[in-house]
């Protein structure tokens, strides 16, 4: 068993119960067991996850290590997918073959949230451009 901050990396055996927070890893998948949840492998090899203690957990502005990791990877994945679609649909050789572009997500204040690892030199100008557009154009929720 390897402890990664507050998470445990675990190989699950039949009928073993694992209480979260934990990560269950096998050769084909990774399963996150949230805090206040538990996972159990059935005799058929399926993993069932029992969610919480029946009480909703309040989610505040403070993120724990699990939530921070999940959202960080989700945002990075979105930026990378934007880049793949741009590359696949582009006509320009600079974009299609040289990957001379940047894709990024910005927050409601115009600050950088995540970016894809293409050519990050554009991001300095992108930040000012996004913030200017937010100031110049009224954007509704």
């Amino acid at each position: 068993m390897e402890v990664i901050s507050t998470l445990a990396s675990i190989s699950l055996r039949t009928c073993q119960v694992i209480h979260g927070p934990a990560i269950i890893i096998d050769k084909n998948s990774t399963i996150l067991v949230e805090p206040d949840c538990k996972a159990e492998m059935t005799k058929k090899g399926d993993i069932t996850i029992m969610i919480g203690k029946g009480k909703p957990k309040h989610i505040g502005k403070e993120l724990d290590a699990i939530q921070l990791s999940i959202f960080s990877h989700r945002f990075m994945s979105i930026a990378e997918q934007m880049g793949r679609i741009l590359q696949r649909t582009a006509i320009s050789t600079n974009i299609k073959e040289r990957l001379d572009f940047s894709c990024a997500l910005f927050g409601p204040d115009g600050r950088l949230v995540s970016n894809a690892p293409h050519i990050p030199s554009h991001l300095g100008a992108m930040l000012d451009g996004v913030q200017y557009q937010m100031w110049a154009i009224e954007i509704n929720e």
Side-chain angles (χ1 to χ4, degrees):
M1 185 185 311
E2 177 183 335
V3 176
I4 304 170
S5 68
T6 59
L7 302 175
S9 177
I10 301 164
S11 295
L12 197 61
R13 296 181 303 272
T14 304
C15 298
Q16 178 184 8
V17 176
I18 300 297
H19 296 274
I23 297 176
I24 302 169
I25 301 171
D26 70 3
K27 63 181 179 181
N28 297 322
S29 64
T30 301
I31 298 171
L32 175 67
V33 182
E34 297 274 350
D36 297 326
C37 297
K38 59 184 177 179
E40 181 178 2
M41 181 180 280
T42 65
K43 291 180 182 179
K44 293 182 180 180
D46 300 324
I47 295 178
T48 58
I49 297 179
M50 283 65 77
I51 310 244
K53 298 174 182 169
K55 298 177 186 174
K57 183 179 175 184
H58 174 71
I59 298 176
K61 291 184 179 180
E62 295 79 27
L63 297 176
D64 62 25
I66 296 171
Q67 292 170 322
L68 187 59
S69 178
I70 289 170
F71 284 110
S72 173
H73 285 91
R74 283 182 178 173
F75 292 142
M76 184 64 131
S77 176
I78 291 168
E80 289 172 354
Q81 288 176 24
M82 289 166 51
R84 282 193 295 273
I85 290 170
L86 179 61
Q87 180 186 9
R88 194 173 61 231
T89 60
I91 296 171
S92 169
T93 303
N94 284 338
I95 293 174
K96 197 166 199 71
E97 295 177 11
R98 295 185 185 117
L99 303 181
D100 190 11
F101 62 88
S102 295
C103 292
L105 295 175
F106 294 88
D109 59 353
R111 296 180 68 192
L112 182 67
V113 173
S114 69
N115 64 289
H118 299 105
I119 298 184
S121 63
H122 303 112
L123 294 177
M126 246 173 146
L127 177 63
D128 291 334
V130 168
Q131 289 179 336
Y132 175 78
Q133 291 297 322
M134 293 178 74
W135 172 79
I137 300 171
E138 183 178 336
I139 300 174
N140 297 321
E141 291 186 15

